[in-house]
Amino acid sequence: MKNYLAIFMLSLSGLALSQISIGKTTVNPSTSLDFGSDNRGMVLSWVDNVAGVTGAVNGTMVYDLSDKKIKVRYSAAWKDLSVDTGGSTVDPLTNVDGALLQNTLSDAATAKVSVGTPTATPGILVLEDTTKAMVLPKVDSPHLNINNPAPGMIVYDVKNKQLAVYNGKFWSFWKQ
């Protein structure tokens, strides 16, 4: 029930302001979605296989359960962001496989939160702004400071100034 209430409130705030801040007291006017810095990350949607994802647009990011890797849709193809071998969905603390839990639950086919002016773009969370961006959660050395990260987690490493993604076993770091 708490999750439904949180999603409802998130939806309402998105409609009212078209900007959302999670874990922060202020909202940067140039962002549509912004996170605080509490050593937490954002977990991407889990999909059975990117080959079965229809209508994905460039910039779509998912955690692919078929090979346990984080992927982004880029130039009409899927690009692997996990530079190491496949990850795992088994929680090392509880030894519970998150994929098995996910497969027993069903999602509403029409579930979608849109921030900005809604369009027909498919996705669970869609940022519709053309002049604003999402700011990822910022963590100083996430591989050291995030305890028990979830597969599909993505953050910005402020210490090393790079994107960090977790595939369930390894962190991959991307720097331009």
Side-chain angles (χ1 to χ4, degrees), residues 9 31 41 51-52 55 61 65 69 103 108 121-122 130 137 154 170 172:
M9 296 304 290
T31 63
M61 298 179 81
L65 287 170
K69 292 188 171 195
N103 291 339
T121 303
T130 58
I154 184 170
F170 305 102
S172 295

Side-chain angles (χ1 to χ4, degrees), residues 15-134:
L15 293 174
L17 300 173
S18 293
Q19 292 176 303
I20 297 175
S21 178
I22 299 172
K24 295 180 77 175
T25 56
T26 59
V27 177
N28 181 332
S30 66
T31 63
S32 54
L33 180 60
D34 199 354
F35 296 88
S37 55
D38 296 328
N39 289 339
R40 298 179 188 160
M42 181 177 79
V43 179
L44 300 170
S45 296
W46 289 14
V47 299
D48 291 328
N49 189 317
V50 292
V53 177
T54 58
V57 297
N58 288 339
T60 300
M61 298 179 81
V62 297
Y63 180 72
D64 187 345
L65 287 170
S66 68
D67 58 5
K68 312 277 191 304
K69 292 188 171 195
I70 296 172
K71 298 181 180 169
V72 62
R73 185 74 173 185
Y74 179 74
S75 295
W78 289 99
K79 181 176 174 73
D80 179 7
L81 292 180
S82 300
V83 294
D84 291 302
T85 59
S88 173
T89 55
V90 177
D91 187 316
L93 297 179
T94 63
N95 213 25
V96 174
D97 189 343
L100 296 177
L101 293 174
Q102 175 179 314
N103 291 339
T104 63
L105 304 173
S106 59
D107 296 325
T110 58
K112 177 179 178 178
V113 173
S114 179
V115 179
T117 305
T119 65
T121 303
I124 296 170
L125 172 63
V126 180
L127 307 179
E128 306 282 2
D129 295 306
T130 58
T131 60
K132 296 177 181 148
M134 176 180 71

Side-chain angles (χ1 to χ4, degrees), residues 105-173:
L105 304 173
S106 59
D107 296 325
T110 58
K112 177 179 178 178
V113 173
S114 179
V115 179
T117 305
T119 65
T121 303
I124 296 170
L125 172 63
V126 180
L127 307 179
E128 306 282 2
D129 295 306
T130 58
T131 60
K132 296 177 181 148
M134 176 180 71
V135 176
L136 290 173
K138 298 173 188 165
V139 178
D140 186 358
S141 302
H143 61 292
L144 300 175
N145 290 314
I146 296 180
N147 297 324
N148 197 24
M153 183 173 283
I154 184 170
V155 299
Y156 180 74
D157 182 345
V158 292
K159 182 176 182 180
N160 297 304
K161 295 180 177 55
Q162 57 193 1
L163 179 70
V165 295
Y166 185 71
N167 71 0
K169 283 190 180 178
F170 305 102
W171 283 98
S172 295
F173 298 92

